[in-house]
Amino acid sequence: MATLVKLKPIVDETRRGQIVRHLRQLIVNGNVQPGERLTETRLADQLGVSRAPLREAIRDLVDSGLVESLPYKGLFVRSVTRQDLEELYSLRTALEQFAFQQCWAKRDPKARADLEQRHADLLSEIDRNEDTERAIELELHLHDWCYELAGHALLQKTWCQMKPNLQFYFTLHQKAHNRVGPLRQGHEVYVKCALGNSLDAMQDHLDTHMRQGLETTKMHLPTG
């Protein structure tokens, strides 16, 4: 069983969001492995919080899909299956295609400059080649753009609920390739299409872009 890294105690134990954020970081960064059992007592001691807010935070992680609660067995970090990936990537493709339909007419000069800046920030972090978590955060921030610009509250909420799982899977993907972040050229066509004149071309690229990511990640899942 993997050993939890040392954590800074949380001062304000009434802030459930802080606990959720700490636990999510442990999981998505690979400090706690898929299938590993979590115990409330151990986590409460590590984080310096009481059991009540910890249970609330764990419920949030169960709802987001990062943690599984199995009757009579306990809490476990979610394991990754091929079906998990198929479902995640198929839904993500549909959501992002819809987001671009909604935001396409809203791509004014300010929005276009925002996307270009997000891409530049991602490239700078890739070039630093030091921080996997930050590189993945910036990759997701790049994809945030179309959802934010769409101005569709329910779509944005659904995307935000999906992101922790994507961050988890992206981490597995980068570790399988022994690299800190995505390929430097990985989003060039995405950004070009997003700023281009053809919504159909953007939609076609999304389908290809997501499918490639899915197939590559599936190749590196453990067998058995």
Side-chain angles (χ1 to χ4, degrees), residues 117-192:
Q117 184 60 57
R118 294 183 193 214
H119 190 217
D121 292 343
L122 174 59
L123 293 179
S124 295
E125 188 61 41
I126 292 171
D127 291 342
R128 285 181 64 238
N129 196 38
E130 294 178 358
D131 190 338
T132 298
E133 181 181 359
R134 180 60 178 161
I136 291 173
E137 286 176 352
L138 288 172
E139 182 177 3
L140 288 170
H141 186 55
L142 178 73
H143 287 278
D144 284 339
W145 179 81
C146 61
Y147 295 93
E148 295 170 4
L149 191 60
H152 190 297
L154 186 56
L155 174 66
Q156 177 76 2
K157 180 180 179 180
T158 305
W159 166 243
C160 289
Q161 290 172 336
M162 181 185 293
K163 281 171 66 176
N165 286 283
L166 281 172
Q167 190 173 7
F168 182 40
Y169 297 145
F170 283 2
T171 301
L172 295 177
H173 180 74
Q174 307 310 344
K175 286 186 176 182
H177 288 277
N178 194 29
R179 64 180 187 233
V180 171
L183 291 173
R184 198 178 196 282
Q185 68 273 23
H187 290 83
E188 288 180 355
V189 177
Y190 178 94
V191 173
K192 182 179 179 180

Side-chain angles (χ1 to χ4, degrees), residues 13-199:
E13 64 183 40
T14 66
R15 297 188 62 183
R16 180 175 64 185
Q18 284 187 309
I19 306 174
V20 171
R21 191 159 49 249
H22 276 66
L23 293 177
R24 184 184 292 127
Q25 287 174 353
L26 281 175
I27 295 170
V28 301
N29 292 339
N31 294 315
V32 186
Q33 298 300 313
E36 182 173 340
R37 189 170 187 268
L38 302 175
T39 63
E40 288 184 4
T41 301
R42 185 178 174 202
L43 290 173
D45 289 343
Q46 287 269 344
L47 294 172
V49 298
S50 64
R51 300 280 287 276
L54 177 63
R55 289 194 185 103
E56 293 178 352
I58 289 173
R59 280 199 296 269
D60 286 348
L61 293 176
V62 171
D63 290 342
S64 73
L66 287 180
V67 172
E68 293 180 301
S69 179
L70 302 180
Y72 309 110
K73 294 183 179 180
L75 299 165
F76 297 84
V77 178
R78 182 176 179 176
S79 298
V80 182
T81 69
R82 280 162 174 74
Q83 182 176 344
D84 291 334
L85 290 175
E86 288 280 2
E87 292 180 358
L88 180 69
Y89 277 83
S90 61
L91 179 58
R92 183 190 171 198
T93 301
L95 288 178
E96 201 140 327
Q97 286 177 331
F98 179 65
F100 270 99
Q101 291 173 15
Q102 296 296 304
C103 78
W104 198 253
K106 303 177 182 179
R107 300 170 305 143
D108 59 18
K110 181 178 179 181
R112 291 170 180 269
D114 182 24
L115 179 60
E116 291 175 334
Q117 184 60 57
R118 294 183 193 214
H119 190 217
D121 292 343
L122 174 59
L123 293 179
S124 295
E125 188 61 41
I126 292 171
D127 291 342
R128 285 181 64 238
N129 196 38
E130 294 178 358
D131 190 338
T132 298
E133 181 181 359
R134 180 60 178 161
I136 291 173
E137 286 176 352
L138 288 172
E139 182 177 3
L140 288 170
H141 186 55
L142 178 73
H143 287 278
D144 284 339
W145 179 81
C146 61
Y147 295 93
E148 295 170 4
L149 191 60
H152 190 297
L154 186 56
L155 174 66
Q156 177 76 2
K157 180 180 179 180
T158 305
W159 166 243
C160 289
Q161 290 172 336
M162 181 185 293
K163 281 171 66 176
N165 286 283
L166 281 172
Q167 190 173 7
F168 182 40
Y169 297 145
F170 283 2
T171 301
L172 295 177
H173 180 74
Q174 307 310 344
K175 286 186 176 182
H177 288 277
N178 194 29
R179 64 180 187 233
V180 171
L183 291 173
R184 198 178 196 282
Q185 68 273 23
H187 290 83
E188 288 180 355
V189 177
Y190 178 94
V191 173
K192 182 179 179 180
C193 288
L195 298 176
N197 298 319
S198 173
L199 177 58

